[in-house]
Amino acid sequence: MTESIQISALDHHFADFITRIDSNPSDELWLAAALASNAAGKGHTCLKMATVAGMNIVPFCHVPRRLQTPEESLWRDALGPCDTIGNPGDYTPLVLDGANRLYLQRSWEYERLVAEGILARNRQLPFDQELFKSALDHYFPAIPGALDLQREAAIMAASRCFSVVSGGPGTGKTATVARILAMLIELSADVQPEIALAAPTGKAAMRLRNSILQAAVQLDLPPPVRNRLPDDVSTIHRLLGVKAGGNGFMHNRDNRLACDILVIDEASMIDLPLMAQLLEALRDDARIILLGDRDQLASVEAGAVLADICAGASSLSHSDPQLGSVHGEGGNGNVALSVVNLTKSHRFGQSSGIGALSRLINSGESAAALELLFSGGDDDLVWRPLPVGNSFGKEFITAVRMGYSAYAASDSPKKALAELDRFRVLSPLRSSMYGVENLNELCVAALGFKRSADEQYYRLMPVMVAGNNYELGLFNGDTGVVMDNDGRPSVWFSAQDGGLRHLSPIRLPAHETAFALTVHKSQGSEFDKLLLILPDRISEALSRELLYTAVTRARNSVEIWGTEDVFRQAVERRTERSSGLRDRLAGGMK
């Protein structure tokens, strides 16, 4: 049976527009434009024509003609005369490259900027080998006969303009980068480097700051080095400076960032356009160090930049004799696009059920993952068959009362915010019985929180900011709680200095109730215990990456409600985002 693709009204109207302005319109052009728009709407950077050749296209309204994509080579030939489709470098609405990848112009340009920005920085920096090796041995002592990946990451980050430190939760990414920054500060002597720290969301930014400060204390750094470590972390948007009206950034190719070293955490959450604008705003001689988990969910918007970078690096290597000499004994001098993947988890040891489950999910072993969940042999893992009908609401309310009991008893904003990090409900979906909209309503009912029809906010209402507000200093992902302040309701947030700040609820930017979060919204957060609610049927939202991301948000325990069939299908489904970035990076390394 021939596969079908459902296109939206937007796809349909875009295709109509393209064929209307082209001097050589055709059905093949209409299909190409509609499917390029459709691919962009699903987070792909481009449309790989080979993947949709020979498929039936289902329009959003009746079209009195048969819609089926042609065979790939015939399709490309038919697009040849079209003047709305150009080659790479042409300024046309659509761009078709030599591998039959079809881009919207803006997507092609963003991908070009990211590839060129990375490749231009993937170069060796001059350094004093003797001083470098001395500092390296101090902060990352060599282990005879063993490959120390944290030391490898330090060599990369310290000696190159661009580097990536990837790894799952608890593999020591931020602790490693704290030591790298201390080493670079020490090597700079009297010339103090300007260091900037940033993350995609406010929550992730605060976690990065706390991790850096904690690592600095554990390292027992000398005051001259400790005092030069940055203690301010911002969101990427605040770092770049959003212009009035939200139209572009203050820092760009014409007004570069002043930093010498830029560290970005949770890089898997960065979409293609934001990465392009970030690299453009960075000076050519500045170092950039990306931290993230390449196996997590990709960004909500277009692209899967971190995954593409890591994939583009995995099969590439080149000899670097200068760097090889820094390795000393055991160093082979092979560098693969300056990417190191840390594999040893200090949070999830060999006996950790969460660690074992996340590894099985990540490798697509659905049967083994289910067997582990069913065995009941791990205290940190609980599997429950998904309750159906009215039973779901009743059993969910019971679980919520237990999970949020300490939160409901909180007598101060500080305690309430701390308790929110100890338990949380996650779901892949926003709507449906098992989506966060319904789950949040059930949580409110379960905990007995009452509000009148004209009362939008109530005591102990948890909120998550859904956008960036620079005037208020509130950013996407920031979590607050409603409690009284001198008899008036206020929303309290954690401050970077470790204290609290508050504001009137009427000043809150766009926000959502946060008893239950989508898995996407939970990225950059950690909870002692979480309850993951899976739906009763498979959907496009469910994938291996989503389950992996959800499970690894927990520090101590995970409880999953679901069906075997949905769990199995989700583990066996990979999120594939079409892109030419990894090929661009590979081509640039030749």
Side-chain angles (χ1 to χ4, degrees):
M1 182 177 178
T2 304
E3 290 188 59
S4 298
I5 299 176
Q6 174 75 58
I7 63 171
S8 68
L10 176 63
D11 305 331
H12 194 113
H13 290 308
F14 178 73
D16 285 348
F17 168 73
I18 290 296
T19 52
R20 190 165 59 247
I21 65 173
D22 197 292
S23 58
N24 295 289
S26 64
D27 286 353
E28 289 84 0
L29 174 62
W30 193 94
L31 287 166
L35 291 173
S37 172
N38 182 265
K42 293 178 178 177
H44 300 291
T45 304
C46 61
L47 170 71
K48 290 185 176 179
M49 294 170 63
T51 64
V52 296
M55 288 190 180
N56 291 324
I57 307 304
V58 182
F60 84 101
C61 62
H62 177 69
V63 176
R65 65 178 184 268
R66 184 172 181 235
L67 292 173
Q68 187 176 50
T69 54
E71 188 270 326
E72 184 182 3
S73 61
L74 296 176
W75 196 3
R76 183 182 180 101
D77 290 342
L79 297 176
C82 300
D83 49 30
T84 54
I85 298 182
N87 297 315
D90 293 341
Y91 193 70
T92 50
L94 296 165
V95 175
L96 182 61
D97 72 6
N100 287 344
R101 288 183 288 242
L102 185 64
Y103 295 81
L104 302 180
Q105 170 65 229
R106 67 177 183 273
S107 297
W108 185 88
E109 181 65 12
Y110 285 138
E111 187 175 281
R112 179 189 69 81
L113 289 172
V114 170
E116 291 182 359
I118 291 172
L119 291 170
R121 292 174 174 85
N122 191 51
R123 65 181 188 274
Q124 183 78 44
L125 293 169
F127 57 88
D128 184 310
Q129 292 191 41
E130 188 174 338
L131 288 177
F132 188 9
K133 189 171 188 307
S134 175
L136 182 68
D137 288 341
H138 174 70
Y139 286 99
F140 297 89
I143 303 173
L147 178 62
D148 185 344
L149 291 174
Q150 291 186 332
R151 181 179 169 96
E152 294 288 317
I155 292 170
M156 293 246 188
S159 63
R160 308 188 75 81
C161 268
F162 177 84
S163 60
V164 177
V165 182
S166 178
T171 51
K173 297 184 295 293
T174 51
T176 299
V177 85
R179 285 192 282 168
I180 290 170
L181 294 178
M183 181 175 68
L184 292 174
I185 290 170
E186 188 172 301
L187 286 169
S188 66
D190 296 330
V191 181
Q192 181 173 344
E194 188 72 27
I195 302 172
L197 306 175
T201 66
K203 183 76 171 180
M206 189 168 293
R207 281 189 55 223
L208 174 60
R209 177 183 182 272
N210 293 339
S211 296
I212 293 287
L213 294 178
Q214 183 179 4
V217 170
Q218 293 173 345
L219 287 171
D220 194 22
L221 299 172
V225 174
R226 170 64 189 86
N227 294 338
R228 287 161 69 176
L229 271 177
D231 59 4
D232 180 53
V233 183
S234 71
T235 64
I236 297 173
H237 284 78
R238 183 161 71 91
L239 176 74
L240 294 175
V242 176
K243 291 181 179 178
N247 184 24
F249 294 110
M250 299 294 293
H251 290 289
N252 48 45
R253 73 181 73 181
D254 300 316
N255 180 29
R256 302 291 181 91
L257 290 165
C259 63
D260 302 301
I261 303 169
L262 173 61
V263 176
I264 303 289
D265 197 12
E266 297 291 351
S268 64
M269 299 170 66
I270 305 177
D271 59 52
L272 185 71
L274 184 58
M275 183 64 81
Q277 293 169 95
L278 180 65
L279 289 169
E280 268 206 305
L282 196 64
R283 293 200 324 265
D284 294 339
D285 62 341
R287 286 184 177 90
I288 179 169
I289 305 171
L290 301 181
L291 308 178
D293 186 347
R294 65 184 182 184
D295 297 314
Q296 274 192 192
L297 277 168
S299 62
V300 176
E301 303 299 332
V305 179
L306 183 66
D308 278 343
I309 293 171
C310 293
S314 62
S315 61
L316 302 171
S317 65
H318 66 277
S319 177
D320 190 331
Q322 191 178 24
L323 186 58
S325 65
V326 176
H327 277 274
E329 289 185 25
N332 57 20
N334 289 329
V335 183
L337 195 59
S338 305
V339 174
V340 170
N341 187 46
L342 304 181
T343 56
K344 182 179 179 181
S345 176
H346 302 281
R347 183 191 308 170
F348 305 133
Q350 292 301 313
S351 61
S352 166
I354 296 175
L357 180 63
S358 65
R359 289 189 291 272
L360 290 171
I361 290 172
N362 203 22
S363 58
E365 299 179 59
S366 59
L370 281 169
E371 184 179 351
L372 176 65
L373 285 169
F374 294 163
S375 69
D378 295 282
D379 294 337
D380 54 350
L381 293 178
V382 176
W383 169 269
R384 286 195 60 188
L386 183 69
V388 296
N390 293 333
S391 296
F392 174 78
K394 294 177 182 178
E395 295 187 37
F396 180 76
I397 284 174
T398 299
V400 164
R401 285 174 177 163
M402 292 180 60
Y404 279 123
S405 60
Y407 175 79
S410 298
D411 56 5
S412 70
K414 185 174 183 178
K415 173 145 179 78
L417 287 169
E419 290 299 335
L420 275 179
D421 283 341
R422 294 197 173 96
F423 175 76
R424 201 66 68 92
V425 178
L426 301 185
S427 168
L429 306 179
R430 178 165 296 280
S431 57
S432 87
M433 179 189 294
Y434 309 107
V436 296
E437 292 174 352
N438 183 52
L439 297 180
N440 271 308
E441 289 299 320
L442 290 175
C443 287
V444 173
L447 299 175
F449 294 132
K450 299 185 182 300
R451 52 181 174 179
S452 60
D454 60 348
E455 186 181 13
Q456 185 177 358
Y457 301 96
Y458 49 91
R459 184 179 181 277
L460 284 177
M461 175 182 177
V463 298
M464 175 173 278
V465 176
N468 297 319
N469 186 302
Y470 299 90
E471 180 183 350
L472 295 175
L474 291 174
F475 303 99
N476 184 30
D478 284 351
T479 301
V481 62
V482 177
M483 293 192 80
D484 283 354
N485 179 42
D486 293 332
R488 296 182 179 181
S490 292
V491 188
W492 298 79
F493 294 88
S494 298
Q496 278 205 356
D497 61 4
L500 298 176
R501 60 195 184 103
H502 63 87
L503 73 160
S504 168
I506 63 175
R507 299 186 66 201
L508 269 179
H511 59 279
E512 303 170 358
T513 305
F515 285 116
L517 305 177
T518 63
V519 177
H520 269 288
K521 287 285 187 181
S522 74
Q523 285 183 273
S525 300
E526 293 178 356
F527 312 105
D528 288 348
K529 179 181 179 179
L530 67 84
L531 172 59
L532 174 62
I533 306 295
L534 299 180
D536 59 348
R537 63 194 66 184
I538 198 69
S539 75
E540 287 190 7
L542 284 163
S543 67
R544 180 184 309 176
E545 291 81 4
L546 181 136
L547 286 181
Y548 171 83
T549 301
V551 167
T552 55
R553 297 310 88 207
R555 286 183 286 251
N556 300 327
S557 67
V558 175
E559 184 170 336
I560 302 174
W561 293 13
T563 69
E564 295 179 41
D565 186 52
V566 168
F567 183 89
R568 182 181 294 105
Q569 289 186 64
V571 172
E572 293 171 358
R573 289 180 61 183
R574 296 219 65 159
T575 300
E576 296 289 347
R577 287 201 169 172
S578 298
S579 155
L581 181 57
R582 64 183 66 182
D583 288 347
R584 286 175 182 265
L585 296 176
M589 290 294 292
K590 290 180 180 177

